[in-house]
Amino acid sequence: MLVLWRTRSYAPPAQALSTAPTRYTEPLAALPSTPRVPSACFVFITRTMSLTKVRRTMFDIEQRFNARFHYPYVFLSELEFSAEFQLKVRSIASSNVTFALITHNWATSSNSTHINGNSNALGFHNMVRYWAHPFATHSALSTYTRVWRLEPGSHFPCDFATDPFRRMHNLKLQYAFAISLASPAPTIWFHALDFLRHSSHLLSASNSMAWLSPSSNNSTVCQFLTNSELVDLRFIRSPAYTALFERMDQKLTLNHNQWSKDDDVAVRSLAVALLLDASQVAWLDDLAYTHDLLSNCPADPELQKRCHCDPSESSHLLSMSCSARWTTAPQSLHIDPLDLL
């Protein structure tokens, strides 16, 4: 059977044309015309096999934000990127792209062999460890002070209302996050807490420990999801953070354990909450972000004009979310470091 579709053009009434929003045809109109923040970049740690997911995320970032500011990208991997990967990534970027090989501090001697013959599993454990600290010391990032971690396959469904890098710069922030959740405390969390109990001189008097640990027995803890984080590398490279990471790395090595899923999240969350002032950390509540089943979707009517996410499905509305609690008065987040002893 042959089916023919009949089409015809449609011209809306003149009044509809005059009242229809013009914002949709003006990309990035919501963003102020401010210069790019120096020494800031996006960073991926990935492999050639993730090309499609990488390009999807980059497409969102470019369309929603970076086509105006042209922040550079840095790609890190323990394996060489293919020529096709590099060509197709550069074809999307509106800025400089650096591809660099991880040749140092990717794995400890205790986990240099395959896990049950599975090199991909080993690669994942090494990546978790690498995100926890060593990435900040890679030579490809030596000229940068602020980075935005991008996760392959993540989605940004709204035009940006502000430049997150500019916000970090102007407010002197050290860390910014999109999503945070409460979860059972992992083993490494208790190792880190034990270290900090014996290093109370490192703790900030204006910390956010009361946010991090809402339960009195520390059985449930709030953690920043690091798959979309903005961080000042000077904090990650600081002696206090480095000492915390090295102790955790030593603990796992002595126990012949691997860095497990979300261990980097636990270390980063505890370090941010205890070593930084609460005023140096911000929830990017106006940043629309989706990864897997989690999302951050702004409800502001003006922002929603340039969005295709549902605010009612935003993860900060979940009972397990900790993000909304961050908006409380900073002093309510503090806890006396002596209380940890």
Side-chain angles (χ1 to χ4, degrees), residues 66-263:
N66 204 44
R68 169 168 290 188
F69 292 94
H70 312 298
Y71 284 106
Y73 295 84
V74 174
F75 282 82
L76 303 177
S77 180
E78 87 284 16
L79 302 174
E80 292 281 1
F81 290 111
S82 70
E84 179 190 18
F85 182 96
Q86 297 183 46
L87 177 65
K88 290 188 174 180
V89 162
R90 284 199 169 100
S91 71
I92 290 183
S94 63
S95 54
N96 183 62
V97 182
T98 299
F99 299 96
L101 194 63
I102 300 172
T103 59
H104 175 68
N105 212 359
W106 175 250
T108 62
S109 58
S110 66
N111 68 359
S112 58
T113 57
H114 292 0
I115 300 175
N116 295 325
N118 188 340
S119 60
N120 286 332
L122 175 62
F124 174 79
H125 289 280
N126 288 338
M127 184 177 67
V128 169
R129 176 183 176 275
Y130 201 74
W131 270 128
H133 176 270
F135 84 97
T137 65
H138 196 288
S139 59
L141 294 173
S142 61
T143 60
Y144 296 104
T145 55
R146 295 180 180 89
V147 298
W148 184 343
R149 173 180 172 177
L150 294 179
E151 189 75 10
S154 57
H155 183 42
F156 296 85
C158 302
D159 282 354
F160 284 55
T162 59
D163 175 358
F165 283 124
R166 174 62 56 185
R167 181 176 178 182
M168 287 196 75
H169 175 79
N170 290 349
L171 298 180
K172 297 180 172 56
L173 299 176
Q174 299 286 300
Y175 192 80
F177 66 97
I179 298 175
S180 65
L181 295 174
S183 61
T187 301
I188 197 171
W189 198 91
F190 295 101
H191 291 326
L193 192 59
D194 183 62
F195 166 74
L196 291 170
R197 283 195 183 101
H198 296 88
S199 307
S200 58
H201 63 286
L202 300 176
L203 308 187
S204 167
S206 301
N207 61 70
S208 48
M209 181 63 182
W211 173 87
L212 185 75
S213 183
S215 61
S216 58
N217 60 0
N218 290 330
S219 60
T220 301
V221 294
C222 288
Q223 300 187 109
F224 307 110
L225 268 63
T226 57
N227 51 28
S228 184
E229 63 178 357
L230 280 83
V231 61
D232 192 316
L233 291 179
R234 290 167 291 192
F235 168 57
I236 304 296
R237 296 164 180 158
S238 68
Y241 189 107
T242 301
L244 172 61
F245 167 77
E246 289 178 346
R247 180 59 64 88
M248 297 306 96
D249 207 28
Q250 181 185 50
K251 277 279 188 181
L252 291 175
T253 301
L254 290 175
N255 294 331
H256 302 288
N257 292 326
Q258 303 290 340
W259 282 76
S260 301
K261 183 178 183 293
D262 294 336
D263 278 352

Side-chain angles (χ1 to χ4, degrees), residues 16-26 305:
L17 284 176
S18 64
T19 58
T22 58
R23 300 168 64 103
Y24 296 100
T25 59
E26 299 173 1
K305 291 178 181 179

Side-chain angles (χ1 to χ4, degrees), residues 196 212 235 240-241 244 265-276:
L196 291 170
L212 185 75
F235 168 57
Y241 189 107
L244 172 61
V265 172
V267 171
R268 184 91 84 247
S269 298
L270 199 58
V272 167
L274 291 182
L275 303 181
L276 294 178

Side-chain angles (χ1 to χ4, degrees), residues 287-304:
L287 174 64
Y289 171 75
T290 300
H291 182 63
D292 293 337
L293 299 178
L294 298 173
S295 67
N296 191 68
C297 182
D300 182 272
E302 283 300 308
L303 296 179
Q304 274 295 314

Side-chain angles (χ1 to χ4, degrees), residues 1-8:
M1 177 183 293
L2 177 65
V3 178
L4 299 177
W5 289 92
R6 181 182 177 185
T7 62
R8 64 179 181 180

